[in-house]
Amino acid sequence: MKKSVELSPNIEALFGTRDENLHVLEDGLNINIDLRSDHIEVEGAPRDVARAEQVLADFDHLRRTGHQFQNGDLNSMLRVLVGDPNVTLRGLTEAGRQRSFGRRTVQPKSPNQRRYLEAIENHDMVFGVGPAGTGKTYLAVAMAISALLNKQVNRIILARPAVEAGERLGFLPGTLQEKIDPYLRPLYDALFDMLDPERVERYLEKNVIEIAPIAFMRGRTLNDSFVILDEAQNTTSEQMKMFVTRLGFNSKAVITGDITQIDLPNARRSGLLEAIDILQKVNGLAFVHFDESDVVRHHLVQRIIRAYDEHKVRVAEQEMTLLETKASNGDASLQARAAGNGKEQAERDAAGPPESASGSMEKPQLRN
């Protein structure tokens, strides 16, 4: 199907730098877009052409109502849109307006990020599991700030295990807060990115926002709170069980972690891995898994994560091949040994009963 769509004024902003947004639509919807002087021609399956036409209509409507797309937001929305046939550009934009994230506008940049935000809205406990740079912590903090500003909760509690990444820093000087601050710096970064520094300091001073290591949460019941556990892959089994049972009335909990970066000493099993196994079928919980396609950092990060994943698969295949070779060699050795034993037994049977020391058969003694 081929259809001609008239260009409305200022529609060029939809195309993006070097028509990058049009390329997203072409690749995601399997269509061809041909730009003309006063119209564009869209060619493809009827359903895909209709979706492209809907995108153009939605963009024109949003522009007329005064909506301004931030840098990169439109491209991210289009990527989400082509990944989910039930999503529209207008629907994504209006959903973003309903959430207040302080001084920042936060839009999901992939289908999994959109599922993550929706899961947090619709469930009281959500696990976000995936590689670095997929927005797990940032989006969780954004949703916590939105809940606080909309008076859905009275406070935000941010927790994280105090585990170093592959090294031991030893004694840290200062007060307790100064000792744990280095471990919780990523959470501070997200807060200061979305709220004014003075407001963050005021919230921290009044304990409206509380940041603490997970070790100090035992015995607490967290009511009217939005609780985030970051770097959950570095919790022990006991710590994870303790955390997920802290949830009180009118509270939400988000647990984030990357199971490929576990820094626990002595090869202890991660509490996050155990929780995924145990809680997978519990009603009321949601699990959202991210992959390298959700990475929103430098484009090299996606390639690096993919390379590590491929290396892990190769190593696993080599180990499996080695085990199969050892098992095959072991079976062959047993068979050869069994065959050798059988041959020796056959030779003994053919030789008859053993002779006496004198070299002659003993004659049976006759009784009188």
Side-chain angles (χ1 to χ4, degrees), residues 164-316:
E164 298 99 336
E167 57 183 332
R168 298 294 176 265
L169 301 179
F171 173 77
L172 294 177
T175 64
L176 174 63
Q177 191 66 37
E178 291 171 338
K179 291 177 188 293
I180 64 176
D181 274 356
Y183 301 103
L184 305 173
R185 180 51 54 186
L187 300 175
Y188 282 112
D189 292 342
L191 287 173
F192 282 107
D193 195 36
M194 297 178 199
L195 295 174
D196 294 327
E198 297 80 11
R199 198 172 193 179
V200 175
E201 295 294 346
R202 186 169 67 251
Y203 282 161
L204 289 171
E205 183 180 350
K206 295 182 178 180
N207 279 335
V208 175
I209 297 178
E210 179 183 348
I211 303 180
I214 192 174
F216 301 128
M217 299 192 69
R218 186 176 294 280
R220 301 181 63 181
T221 300
L222 306 176
N223 296 317
D224 298 308
S225 304
F226 197 115
V227 194
I228 299 173
L229 173 59
D230 192 29
E231 299 292 341
Q233 76 275 5
N234 288 328
T235 60
T236 64
S237 174
E238 296 80 7
Q239 287 176 329
M240 178 59 75
K241 181 181 178 182
M242 179 266 291
F243 178 83
V244 296
T245 55
R246 298 306 95 199
L247 202 63
F249 296 106
N250 190 38
S251 293
K252 282 183 179 290
V254 179
I255 298 99
T256 69
D258 178 3
I259 57 178
T260 66
Q261 298 190 37
I262 298 175
D263 302 310
L264 288 174
N266 303 325
R268 298 188 65 179
R269 194 185 185 204
S270 167
L272 177 60
L273 285 174
E274 185 176 80
I276 293 173
D277 292 340
I278 296 175
L279 305 179
Q280 192 74 47
K281 297 182 180 179
V282 175
N283 291 331
L285 277 72
F287 289 82
V288 180
H289 294 270
F290 298 87
D291 54 39
E292 73 275 0
S293 65
D294 301 302
V295 173
V296 291
R297 292 178 181 169
H298 195 284
H299 61 85
L300 277 177
V301 177
Q302 287 189 0
R303 301 174 191 173
I304 291 170
I305 292 172
R306 190 180 304 115
Y308 271 100
D309 289 342
E310 291 173 353
H311 173 72
K312 185 177 180 180
V313 171
R314 286 197 303 271
V315 170

Side-chain angles (χ1 to χ4, degrees), residues 342-362:
K343 184 178 181 180
E344 292 176 1
Q345 183 63 43
E347 291 175 350
R348 286 196 296 269
D349 292 344
E355 295 182 351
S356 63
S358 60
S360 60
M361 297 287 293
E362 290 187 359

Side-chain angles (χ1 to χ4, degrees), residues 58-70 73-74 77 89 92-94 96-97 105 107:
D58 285 350
F59 181 84
D60 185 54
H61 170 81
L62 292 169
R63 185 188 59 78
R64 291 178 183 275
T65 56
H67 182 80
Q68 296 290 330
F69 289 95
Q70 301 296 323
D73 281 351
L74 182 57
M77 289 182 185
L89 181 61
L92 274 177
T93 305
E94 291 176 351
R97 286 174 177 170
T105 299
Q107 288 288 350

Side-chain angles (χ1 to χ4, degrees), residues 101-121:
F101 299 110
R103 62 180 182 178
R104 291 296 300 269
T105 299
V106 178
Q107 288 288 350
K109 299 184 182 299
S110 71
N112 283 332
Q113 287 193 355
R114 176 173 171 268
R115 296 187 192 102
Y116 186 50
L117 293 179
E118 291 178 349
I120 294 174
E121 286 182 335

